[in-house]
Amino acid sequence: MSAITLVEAVNQALAHELARDENVVLLGEDIGMNGGVFRATAGLQARFGSKRVIDTPLAETMLGGLGVGMATQGLRPVVEIQFMGFIYPAMDHIVNHASRMRNRTRGRLTCPMVIRTPYGAGIRAPEHHSESTESMFTHIPGLRVVVPSSPFRAYGLLLAAIRDPDPVIFLEPSRIYRLIKQEVPDNGEALPLDTCFVLKEGTDVTLVSWGAMMHETLQVAQQLENDGISAEVIDVATLKPLDMDTILQSVSKTGRCVVIHEAARTSGFGAEIAAELGEKAWDVLKAPVLRVTGFDTIVPLYRKEMQYLPSVERIRDTVDAVLVYERIV
Amino acid sequence: MKIFYLPDLGEGLPDAEIQEWYVKVGDVVKTDDPLVSMETAKAIVDVPAPFSGKIAVLHGKQGDIIKTGTPLVSFEATGEQRQDAGTVVGHLESHSGVVEEQMKIIKSDASSRNSAKASAVVKGLAARLGVNIMQVTGTGRNGMITAKDVQLLAAHPALKEGFTPIKGSRRMMLASMTHARNEVCPVTVFDDADISAWEKGQDISARMVRALVVAANAEPALNASFDAATQSHKINKDVHVGIAMDTDEGLFVPVIHHAEKLNATQIREQLETLKISVRSRTVKPEDLHGSTITLSNFGKFAGRYATPIVVPPQLAIVANGPKRLDAVVKNNEVVVCPRMPLSLTFDHRAVTGGEATRFMGALIQDLEKAE
C-alpha cells in the first residue's frame, strides 16, 4: 500500500462509499469527465458511471437544492462546491433547509448530505479561491462542520461524514491537498466525528488549530520542543459540534492556550474557543487565551498572501507571549 | 498547434503586407528569430518569433495582406506532454517523503481536575490565610470557590477526625491565653514569704489581696495598664484585683474592684460573693472586667511555684502555692518554718526587673506581718 496525499485520500474515501452504498451519489461541476479541478474525483465516473457521478451545470444554488432534494428522499448526495468562494449561492438551501430539515419535520425527514469544498489560502489564487469562512457554518444550528488536516483524517472523517444522517460541511484545505503523503489503508474505517485529535502531548502550552494551519502549528511545536518547551497540539477536526472536553482537559494541564486559524480574526472560530475557555477554565489559566489568525481583510493576492496567513514566526511569537505569564500561586 | 497571430505592428495599424519570408515550413526557430518582413503603411518591419518551435503553416505568401490579429504562422505542438498541474488555478505545493503522525483521542473525564476551582486571586488569599484550598467547598457558580468560602474556612477550619470543638468558658481561656502568648514578654520571679509570725485565723486570700495593694502602692509600675498598639501605658491609682478561680466550668477571673478601699472582712465577703456567682454562672459582666493586676491561688492539689500568665493590658500576675513547712536556715540554724511560695510574672516590655523585685519585696514584707 503506497502513501497517498490528502486529495487522494478524499478520492479513496469517495470510491469506497460509492462501492459500499448504492445510494451515494456525487454531484458537482467538472467532477465527472474532468475528475474535478483538483482531481479529487478522478476516475470515479469511469468506474461508477454517470448516474452515480454527475456533472452538473455551473449553478451552485441548484447544487444546494439538488443535494437537499436527494438527501431528503433517501439518497446520500456528496455535493462538491468547486471552491468555497462559490458556496454562497447555495446558502439558502444549506441554512434554510438542510440544517433545519430534521427539526422542521420533527425527524420524519433528515438531510444526510455532505457538501465538500476546497478552501483556504496559500495556493496563489485570487481571493475567491482563498477564503476560510467556516464561521458562517459553525454558527448555524443543525450543521456539522468538519475540517481534516491530514490524508489519514481526511479519509476517516469523510467516511464518517457520508455515513452521518445529518448535513455535513466538509472543508478540504487546498493548500495541503498534496503537501504530505501518509499511509492510509482503504479499510472503510471511519474516524469519530465530534471529537478533537491530540497530535502531540505536552505540558507547557496547548496549541489548538485545524485545517492547513495544523502544518505550521506542528512546526512551531517542534521548534518549542527544541527549545525545551513542551507543547500539546490539538487538531479540532470537527469544529461543530465542538469537543470542548478535550481542550479543557489539556488546558487544565498546561494553563496556557493559543488558537491558530487562517480565517479572519473577528468572529473567527477561535473566538468561540477562547470564550469557552474563559468561562470554564479561567481558574486554571495562567495567561490570557491568545489567537493567531488571518487579518480582517480580503485575502490578498500572491505577493502578500503568505503575510496574511499565520506564519511559523507569528505563531511562535504569540506562544512566547503566553509563556511569559507566570503564576505565583 | 500553436498559432501566432499578427500583432499590432504600430499604433493600431489594421494590416500589413508580407514582403519576404525568412523561414519555410519545417524550419525550427528560436524565440526572437526573424520570421518575416512586413510592409505597413508606415514602414517595413521584421516580425520575430514569439516562442521557439517548428514551423507548421505559413498563413500567406509574399504580397498577401494579413489583417492585424489574424493567423500569421502556425507552429507544431511540442513533443513534451502538457503537465497535469492538478489544479485549474494557482499552485499547490508538494513535498516528497511520507509523513508519520501520531494521533490520540482523549476519552476525557471532565470531573477529574487535579486543581481546585478557584481564581488566582482566591488562591492567593487562601495562601495568605494559611488555608488549604483543596479542603474548601465552593459555593460559587459550578462549584467555584469564592473568597468568602476561603475566609469562612479560615475562620472555621474543618474539624479533624476524633476532635470536638472547645465550647463555653474554655474558649475564652483559649482566646486570652493565645493573645497573651502572642504579645507578652514574660519574666517570672520566684520567692517565699515567711509566715511564721501569722496570728491564728489569718485568711490567706485576704492577706494576699492586701499584700498586693501594698506592693502596688510601693511600685505602681506593676499595677499599670499597657497598650501595645500605641506603645503607651496608664498608671492606675486604684487596685482592681482579678481573682483566678478554677471551676468545673473552667477558668474565671472575677474582679475585686477598689481592693485598696476594702478591709479583710470586706475582701472575704467579696470573694465569697464572687465565688458563688461564678459557680452559679450568674456572675455579672462588670465583675469580670477591669482588673489591673491578677492573683492566682493555684496550689490546692500540687505545685509550689509556677509561671502564671500575664494577660494584657495588665503587666503583672502573682501566684501563690499552698503554705508549706520548709526547712529554713535562720540564725545559722535549720528550723521548720511555714512559708508561702510566691511566683510573680511581669511583662518585661513595660516593667523592669528592678520594679518587679521591689514589688515582690513589698509584697513579701506585708505578707510576713503578723496580721
Side-chain angles (χ1 to χ4, degrees):
Chain A
M1 172 189 56
S2 59
I4 57 174
T5 63
L6 197 151
V7 70
E8 286 166 343
V10 168
N11 186 286
Q12 188 172 281
L14 291 171
H16 188 280
E17 291 303 277
L18 281 163
R20 183 188 67 82
D21 181 354
E22 60 178 1
N23 291 315
V24 173
V25 175
L26 307 191
L27 302 153
E29 296 157 17
D30 304 312
I31 65 164
M33 247 196 349
N34 198 28
V37 291
F38 289 104
R39 306 286 170 264
T41 49
L44 295 180
Q45 192 182 63
R47 199 171 139 194
F48 295 98
S50 55
K51 281 211 155 68
R52 306 283 305 285
V53 182
I54 304 171
D55 277 319
T56 66
L58 203 163
E60 277 77 14
T61 310
M62 184 182 82
L63 273 169
L66 269 178
V68 171
M70 286 182 171
T72 53
Q73 297 306 307
L75 292 174
R76 295 230 163 212
V78 182
V79 174
E80 178 181 300
I81 298 291
Q82 200 164 86
F83 286 92
M84 196 178 193
F86 304 154
I87 202 170
Y88 311 112
M91 283 301 255
D92 179 48
H93 286 290
I94 295 169
V95 175
N96 276 326
H97 303 292
S99 77
R100 302 182 192 180
M101 195 57 65
R102 183 187 281 276
N103 180 294
R104 180 182 296 154
T105 65
R106 306 279 91 188
R108 192 172 72 79
L109 296 178
T110 66
C111 191
M113 85 169 175
V114 175
I115 295 187
R116 38 169 298 277
T117 180
Y119 87 103
I123 65 166
R124 310 185 198 178
E127 31 90 353
H128 54 285
H129 295 340
S130 302
E131 65 233 75
S132 181
T133 51
E134 65 265 30
S135 281
M136 287 192 191
F137 301 95
T138 58
H139 184 64
I140 308 301
L143 279 187
R144 219 182 219 93
V145 180
V146 177
V147 187
S149 69
S150 76
F152 186 82
R153 280 188 288 289
Y155 178 77
L157 290 172
L158 185 52
L159 290 180
I162 294 171
R163 295 172 191 174
D164 191 82
D166 289 300
V168 178
I169 310 292
F170 193 82
L171 301 175
E172 298 168 4
S174 47
R175 178 163 74 96
I176 59 171
Y177 256 160
R178 301 210 172 82
L179 196 62
I180 61 164
K181 290 186 171 169
Q182 273 184 325
E183 302 282 337
V184 184
D186 191 8
N187 53 19
E189 272 176 29
L191 283 171
L193 294 172
D194 311 346
T195 179
C196 298
F197 299 93
V198 178
L199 300 187
K200 180 182 173 299
E201 290 187 282
T203 54
D204 297 332
V205 60
T206 301
L207 306 180
V208 179
S209 190
W210 55 90
M213 294 316 307
M214 217 63 237
H215 181 68
E216 275 69 22
T217 303
L218 283 166
Q219 282 180 42
V220 172
Q222 184 55 55
Q223 244 188 37
L224 290 164
E225 197 71 38
N226 298 340
D227 292 341
I229 297 159
S230 163
E232 182 145 296
V233 179
I234 297 181
D235 178 6
V236 180
T238 301
L239 300 190
K240 181 92 175 300
L242 176 63
D243 168 20
M244 205 54 212
D245 276 351
T246 299
I247 300 174
L248 278 171
Q249 196 155 341
S250 175
V251 176
S252 296
K253 194 172 38 160
T254 65
R256 297 186 174 96
C257 187
V258 174
V259 184
I260 302 112
H261 64 67
E262 65 173 277
R265 184 176 181 77
T266 300
S267 304
F269 198 65
E272 174 67 27
I273 295 175
E276 282 283 295
L277 283 172
E279 191 184 307
K280 296 183 178 142
W282 79 297
D283 57 317
V284 294
L285 282 169
K286 298 177 185 170
V289 177
L290 296 184
R291 300 169 286 159
V292 190
T293 68
F295 298 97
D296 283 324
T297 65
I298 312 302
V299 181
L301 289 169
Y302 170 43
R303 234 195 311 202
K304 296 275 183 204
E305 194 176 25
M306 296 321 277
Q307 267 174 266
Y308 174 91
L309 286 171
S311 61
V312 167
E313 289 71 36
R314 203 148 55 93
I315 300 170
R316 179 59 196 266
D317 282 348
T318 306
V319 175
D320 286 342
V322 303
L323 287 170
V324 156
Y325 289 83
E326 262 315 320
R327 269 267 271 246
I328 301 173
V329 279
Chain B
M1 193 79 96
K2 277 203 254 193
I3 300 176
F4 174 39
Y5 298 90
L6 179 65
D8 178 3
L9 293 177
E11 294 163 42
L13 290 163
D15 53 44
E17 183 184 315
I18 297 175
Q19 271 274 298
E20 186 195 344
W21 283 108
Y22 299 134
V23 297
K24 55 185 189 305
V25 174
D27 281 353
V28 173
V29 296
K30 288 195 305 293
T31 307
D32 289 339
D33 284 349
L35 292 173
V36 60
S37 79
M38 308 281 289
E39 187 179 358
T40 70
K42 296 202 174 167
I44 298 177
V45 289
D46 280 347
V47 180
F51 37 72
S52 310
K54 192 169 172 193
I55 308 291
V57 178
L58 300 176
H59 293 276
K61 52 188 194 303
Q62 199 167 359
D64 283 347
I65 303 219
I66 310 291
K67 283 205 175 62
T68 304
T70 61
L72 178 65
V73 177
S74 285
F75 292 78
E76 265 177 34
T78 50
E80 17 167 295
Q81 295 294 70
R82 250 188 91 219
Q83 286 284 44
D84 183 357
T87 172
V88 73
V89 66
H91 169 76
L92 265 58
E93 238 187 280
S94 65
H95 298 163
S96 60
V98 178
V99 169
E100 299 237 336
E101 195 183 47
Q102 30 130 305
M103 179 180 101
K104 260 182 121 168
I105 299 169
I106 305 290
K107 289 279 173 271
S108 75
D109 173 14
S111 63
S112 70
R113 286 158 129 250
N114 55 4
S115 70
K117 279 191 86 147
S119 72
V121 170
V122 170
K123 285 187 180 161
L125 178 66
R128 272 200 307 281
L129 293 178
V131 171
N132 182 351
I133 192 78
M134 297 303 291
Q135 288 178 348
V136 182
T137 312
T139 61
R141 204 164 151 275
N142 292 330
M144 186 76 80
I145 297 170
T146 67
K148 277 220 181 74
D149 295 330
V150 170
Q151 282 159 342
L152 198 70
L153 193 63
H156 309 281
L159 277 180
K160 295 206 198 34
E161 183 80 30
F163 283 70
T164 48
I166 289 177
K167 297 232 165 71
S169 65
R170 296 191 80 106
R171 287 172 62 89
M172 241 168 53
M173 175 177 81
L174 176 56
S176 61
M177 293 304 169
T178 304
H179 177 56
R181 192 204 67 102
N182 287 341
E183 295 246 339
V184 174
C185 183
V187 176
T188 309
V189 181
F190 307 105
D191 211 330
D192 302 277
D194 181 341
I195 57 172
S196 50
W198 274 18
E199 297 209 357
K200 266 183 109 86
Q202 292 298 295
D203 182 333
I204 293 175
S205 298
R207 286 298 302 267
M208 286 295 308
V209 172
R210 191 189 84 189
L212 266 182
V213 172
V214 168
N217 288 331
E219 195 49 76
L222 277 76
N223 191 47
S225 301
F226 175 66
D227 179 29
T230 56
Q231 299 196 342
S232 59
H233 69 151
K234 182 171 85 153
I235 306 292
N236 296 311
K237 286 208 296 286
D238 306 325
V239 184
H240 308 301
V241 182
I243 308 288
M245 284 188 191
D246 193 29
T247 70
D248 289 335
E249 313 288 317
L251 172 65
F252 286 84
V253 189
V255 182
I256 296 179
H257 291 278
H258 291 288
E260 77 279 5
K261 295 201 170 96
L262 304 173
N263 62 32
T265 317
Q266 287 163 325
I267 290 172
R268 172 46 52 190
E269 264 170 28
Q270 282 262 305
L271 274 170
E272 290 307 315
T273 312
L274 287 172
K275 243 191 250 179
I276 290 166
S277 67
V278 161
R279 289 217 178 97
S280 65
R281 300 303 299 271
T282 56
V283 60
K284 297 198 276 301
E286 54 264 30
D287 285 334
L288 290 171
H289 291 122
S291 53
T292 56
I293 193 164
T294 303
L295 174 66
S296 172
N297 182 356
F298 68 86
K300 256 204 285 234
F301 311 106
R304 190 198 290 248
Y305 303 106
T307 55
I309 307 291
V310 176
V311 179
Q314 293 175 43
L315 287 169
I317 176 170
V318 175
N320 62 295
K323 68 172 194 253
R324 38 205 316 146
L325 291 172
D326 291 333
V328 171
V329 174
K330 277 191 188 171
N331 299 323
N332 282 325
E333 277 187 347
V334 177
V335 293
V336 175
C337 178
R339 297 205 301 176
M340 187 97 80
L342 297 168
S343 309
L344 163 67
T345 303
F346 64 96
D347 187 343
H348 212 330
R349 291 181 298 166
V351 175
T352 66
E355 287 159 346
T357 47
R358 277 196 291 281
F359 180 96
M360 185 70 123
L363 185 85
I364 291 172
Q365 199 179 50
D366 186 73
L367 269 177
E368 288 181 345
K369 289 193 178 139
E371 56 167 0

